[in-house]
Amino acid sequence: MPAYSWLKRAVQSVPGLREQLAVAFTRLPLPISAWVYDAMRRWVFRDNQNRLPVMASALDSLVRLGVKGPIDYLEFGVARGTSVIAINKLASARGLTLKTFAFDSFEGLPSAEGAFVAGEMAYGQQTFMRFVTKAGVEIDRLTCIPGYFDRTLTTERQTSLGLIGMRPVLVHCDADLYVSAREMLTWMSSFAGPGSVLIFDDWYAFDVEANPDQHGEQRAFAEWPDRPHWTQLANTPNWNIAFVRG
């Protein structure tokens, strides 16, 4: 489980403070809000910086592959958009454009597992869109797909989003739970072709358990029939990990 900074823990310990700060941020006008977001992430709430090296390695892998045009970026479990914001900024710094698909129930986790509680992470779609917009993400290439994965991850959805045929894509799994990660992996098997990169944000979320590999994303990945095609690309222990499809 990530070891969050003392400052983040202090903010979370004060009831309502985190939400008050979030509301204050979303009331700032652009481009001031984008500058404030970057400054706070860089100098105050620095935890997210630990996730950036793996994200950067994922993007650099696609650059080396010579992927042309907007890269399809699929994120499963977006909460308030921290990872969507981070990876879009990293892509922009590399001259890359992402076509972002944001999958989330926007109603919280569908079930409980380990320390995760059903209904947790319940950030509405409007809240997500407000955050990514105020952080400076260009939303003309961002599509939200609201709903639990067992209802939204269908063959028809692949067609409607243009996810047809095997090709390189960038996928970020922040689904937390085993059942959610399993549904996501099963769904992406038909279009994530060679060169695709898969990032797991909560790979270490169950390290406090006796057998962490029997929980969450680790278990779902180990059981996935496509697992043999994927090799480790980058890893930041206690934070996130990425695999590339051969």
Side-chain angles (χ1 to χ4, degrees):
M1 187 71 97
Y4 292 119
S5 68
W6 68 268
L7 184 54
K8 182 169 183 177
R9 295 197 303 271
V11 169
Q12 291 176 329
S13 70
V14 180
L17 179 57
R18 187 178 180 186
E19 294 309 315
Q20 291 174 19
L21 292 173
V23 170
F25 163 70
T26 57
R27 289 176 176 170
L28 294 172
L30 280 166
I32 294 174
S33 59
W35 182 88
V36 168
Y37 185 91
D38 289 343
M40 293 295 284
R41 283 294 180 189
R42 185 178 298 273
W43 304 112
V44 183
F45 299 108
R46 296 175 53 84
D47 300 284
N48 195 54
Q49 300 293 105
N50 294 294
R51 295 185 170 93
L52 301 188
V54 166
M55 293 180 178
S57 294
L59 290 166
D60 291 341
S61 178
L62 291 165
V63 169
R64 290 192 298 272
L65 192 65
V67 177
K68 303 296 183 182
I71 298 170
D72 286 332
Y73 170 60
L74 299 86
E75 182 163 331
F76 296 86
V78 299
R80 279 193 284 207
T82 301
S83 296
V84 167
I85 295 165
I87 207 159
N88 269 274
K89 288 180 179 291
L90 288 171
S92 180
R94 287 162 171 73
L96 299 174
T97 300
L98 301 183
K99 186 178 180 182
T100 301
F101 300 101
F103 296 81
D104 201 296
S105 70
F106 298 105
E107 296 178 9
L109 297 176
S111 59
E113 184 180 1
F116 292 105
V117 179
E120 192 178 7
M121 318 271 186
Y123 300 108
Q125 183 175 338
Q126 190 174 39
T127 297
F128 164 74
M129 290 299 293
R130 197 179 304 133
F131 257 76
V132 297
T133 301
K134 290 293 186 175
V137 174
E138 295 183 12
I139 60 172
D140 57 334
R141 288 192 175 90
L142 189 154
T143 302
C144 283
I145 301 90
Y148 289 109
F149 298 165
D150 61 348
R151 304 172 197 166
T152 60
L153 303 186
T154 63
T155 301
E156 292 75 20
R157 182 76 61 182
Q158 290 181 15
T159 301
S160 68
L161 296 179
L163 299 170
I164 307 299
M166 300 288 281
R167 64 178 187 275
V169 295
L170 177 58
V171 179
H172 190 279
C173 178
D174 197 356
D176 305 319
L177 309 178
Y178 162 73
V179 63
S180 299
R182 183 189 64 195
E183 290 165 347
M184 181 216 80
L185 291 170
T186 299
W187 189 70
M188 62 177 273
S189 295
S190 63
F191 60 83
S196 294
V197 180
L198 171 59
I199 301 171
F200 288 101
D201 187 72
D202 285 296
W203 188 260
Y204 298 101
F206 293 91
D207 275 6
V208 295
E209 304 289 341
N211 299 295
D213 60 342
Q214 296 301 308
H215 298 276
E217 296 169 355
Q218 288 195 40
R219 178 185 171 191
F221 187 61
E223 295 177 355
W224 189 27
D226 277 8
R227 169 67 182 90
H229 297 296
W230 298 78
T231 57
Q232 185 174 312
L233 173 68
N235 182 23
T236 300
N238 300 319
W239 291 94
N240 55 0
I241 191 169
F243 297 87
V244 62
R245 192 187 194 285

